[in-house]
């Protein structure tokens, strides 16, 4: 090897190393930012318990992403870890609910949840098309409002074929309107003449995030919180069949293959993991202590991920071009609240 060739090799090696090192630094910067965002959300939740950790995480992410608080390297690293953390959190969310707890609600309440979910998803998606939001964004907003907010949007992202902006808009909508519902529904409880059980079912069937549901039901005591959470988690359980149904429809519409010749998965692997965790919880074999630890890990994974997703929301773009999305989200909020309230009165608990 000549001197010139050796010099070329050295120069090539010198140029090759920094990208790997830089990539690693960005990854660690993203993880550090996610950890700090999670810590900030947990601290904020301690001072303002009415707002859940996940809602705080999205809000703080938006603040960090739209100011100079988040360096470029951390922003790039966050985008790499966010999706993985979300999927871990969604899988572990399965340990929060059991088939037995859902069956105890009774067929009437389960039917109310199913009808409210389907009507909200179908009508909201249709409204999004009418508002020219695009197929992916319409479906993601519909999924978020119908099922479980940001977690549902993350689970549906690949099936919907949405991009980062579609996801960011959807998360911004469910965070904004879910927080508003969390505050307004308790104020309407007694004026609407609802019993404690009726209010619990209504809140669980209409508010987006689990944390928002708990906060809304908190003023009614432990019994109201218990039924509200089970109703809410019944919606969460329906995430898997909804994703599978949408995937089947897209496969049939596309002739079973994408442009690259690959068949899209019927149900994402992490959604199947979620169902497996529900099944394992339902056996009663998981000790209570382990469930408590899993719950903390699940909140941490989702909180860190939602901080990253919140950081991807560009508020200037949202306010400048978000009018149609805001309109659809407003109508969807009124729809899910109205349909579930009608169902509660129909059941007559």
């Amino acid at each position: 090897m000549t001197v010139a060739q050796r010099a070329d090799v050295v120069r090539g090696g010198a140029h090759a190393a920094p990208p790997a090192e830089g990539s690693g630094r960005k990854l660690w910067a993203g993880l550090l930012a996610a950890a700090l965002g999670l810590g900030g959300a947990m601290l904020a939740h301690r001072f303002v318990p009415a707002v859940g950790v996940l809602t705080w995480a999205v809000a703080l992410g938006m603040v960090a992403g739209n100011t100079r608080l988040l360096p470029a390297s951390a922003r790039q690293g966050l985008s790499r870890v966010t999706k993985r953390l979300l999927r871990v959190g969604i899988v572990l969310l399965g340990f929060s609910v059991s088939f037995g707890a859902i069956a105890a609600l009774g067929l009437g309440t389960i039917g109310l949840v199913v009808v409210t979910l389907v009507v909200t998803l179908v009508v909201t998606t249709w409204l999004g098309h009418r508002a020219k939001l695009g197929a992916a964004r319409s479906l993601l907003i519909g999924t978020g409002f119908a099922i479980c907010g940001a977690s549902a949007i993350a689970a549906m992202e690949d099936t919907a074929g949405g991009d980062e902006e579609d996801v960011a808009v959807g998360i911004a909508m469910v965070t904004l309107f879910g927080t508003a519902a969390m505050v307004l529904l308790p104020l309407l409880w007694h004026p609407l003449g609802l019993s404690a059980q009726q209010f619990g079912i209504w809140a669980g069937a209409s508010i987006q995030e689990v944390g928002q549901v708990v906060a809304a039901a908190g003023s009614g005591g432990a019994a109201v919180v218990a039924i509200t959470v089970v109703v809410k988690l019944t919606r969460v359980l329906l995430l898997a069949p909804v994703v599978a149904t949408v995937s089947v429809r897209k496969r049939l519409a596309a002739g079973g293959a994408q442009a690259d010749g690959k068949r899209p998965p019927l149900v994402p692997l992490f959604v199947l993991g979620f169902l497996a965790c529900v099944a394992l919880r339902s056996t009663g074999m998981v000790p209570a202590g382990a469930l408590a630890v899993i719950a903390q890990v699940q909140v941490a994974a989702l909180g860190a991920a939602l901080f990253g997703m919140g950081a991807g929301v560009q508020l200037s773009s949202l306010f400048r071009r978000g009018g149609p999305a805001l309109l659809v989200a407003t109508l969807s909020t009124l729809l899910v609240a109205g349909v579930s309230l009608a169902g509660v009165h129909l059941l007559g608990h």
Side-chain angles (χ1 to χ4, degrees):
M1 182 181 290
T2 67
V3 174
Q5 287 173 327
R6 283 197 297 269
D8 288 339
V9 171
V10 171
R11 284 195 298 269
H15 288 302
E21 294 174 0
S23 178
R25 284 197 296 270
K26 290 176 182 177
L27 178 61
W28 283 109
L31 287 171
L32 178 60
L36 291 174
L38 172 64
M42 297 179 74
L43 183 62
H45 174 62
R46 293 195 65 176
F47 284 105
V48 188
V51 181
V53 172
L54 302 186
T55 302
W56 274 117
V58 175
L60 292 179
M62 290 181 182
V63 172
N66 289 272
T67 62
R68 298 181 182 273
L69 294 176
L70 197 63
S73 59
R75 189 189 303 273
Q76 294 170 5
L78 267 176
S79 66
R80 293 177 56 187
V81 302
T82 292
K83 183 175 290 189
R84 293 178 184 178
L85 288 171
L86 266 170
R87 291 180 174 181
V88 170
I90 291 171
V91 169
L92 296 180
L93 187 60
F95 284 106
S96 302
V97 63
S98 68
F99 295 122
I102 292 174
L105 290 175
L107 290 177
T109 302
I110 294 173
L112 180 155
V113 172
V114 172
V115 170
T116 301
L117 187 154
V118 172
V119 170
T120 303
L121 177 60
V122 171
V123 175
T124 302
T125 303
W126 176 80
L127 288 170
H129 284 294
R130 297 288 295 177
K132 303 187 185 304
L133 295 182
R137 189 169 302 184
S138 301
L139 177 58
L140 290 175
I141 292 176
T143 304
F145 278 85
I147 306 177
C148 55
S151 301
I153 290 172
M156 185 67 81
E157 177 185 357
D158 290 340
T159 302
D163 56 24
E164 290 186 0
E165 185 177 353
D166 292 326
V167 172
V169 170
I171 288 177
M173 294 300 106
V174 296
T175 301
L176 174 62
F177 285 88
T179 302
M182 174 188 76
V183 174
L184 292 176
L185 261 64
L187 298 177
L188 297 173
W189 175 358
H190 297 298
L192 290 174
L194 300 176
S195 67
Q197 185 177 12
Q198 285 177 319
F199 175 74
I201 295 172
W202 184 39
S206 58
I207 301 177
Q208 283 78 25
E209 298 284 355
V210 176
Q212 294 167 345
V213 164
V214 173
S219 60
V224 176
V225 171
I227 189 171
T228 303
V229 169
V230 176
V231 171
K232 173 60 188 174
L233 291 176
T234 303
R235 293 166 66 192
V236 176
L237 182 61
L238 293 171
L239 175 63
V242 168
V243 172
T245 300
V246 173
S247 180
V248 168
R249 287 177 58 88
K250 294 196 73 169
R251 284 166 66 121
L252 292 175
Q258 294 176 326
D260 58 5
K262 297 180 181 179
R263 295 172 65 88
L266 184 60
V267 182
L269 186 60
F270 67 95
V271 176
L272 293 178
F274 164 81
L275 284 177
C277 290
V278 175
L280 184 57
R281 166 68 187 269
S282 300
T283 65
M285 296 172 59
V286 185
L291 289 174
V293 172
I294 291 170
Q296 294 299 319
V297 175
Q298 176 251 314
V299 170
L302 283 180
L306 290 178
F307 174 81
M309 298 189 82
V313 178
Q314 294 302 307
L315 294 177
S316 58
S317 175
L318 183 64
F319 288 135
R320 187 170 59 250
R321 300 184 298 171
L326 285 168
L327 175 61
V328 171
T330 300
L331 295 175
S332 185
T333 300
L334 295 174
L335 176 68
V336 68
V339 172
S340 56
L341 181 61
V344 165
H345 283 298
L346 188 62
L347 289 176
H349 285 297

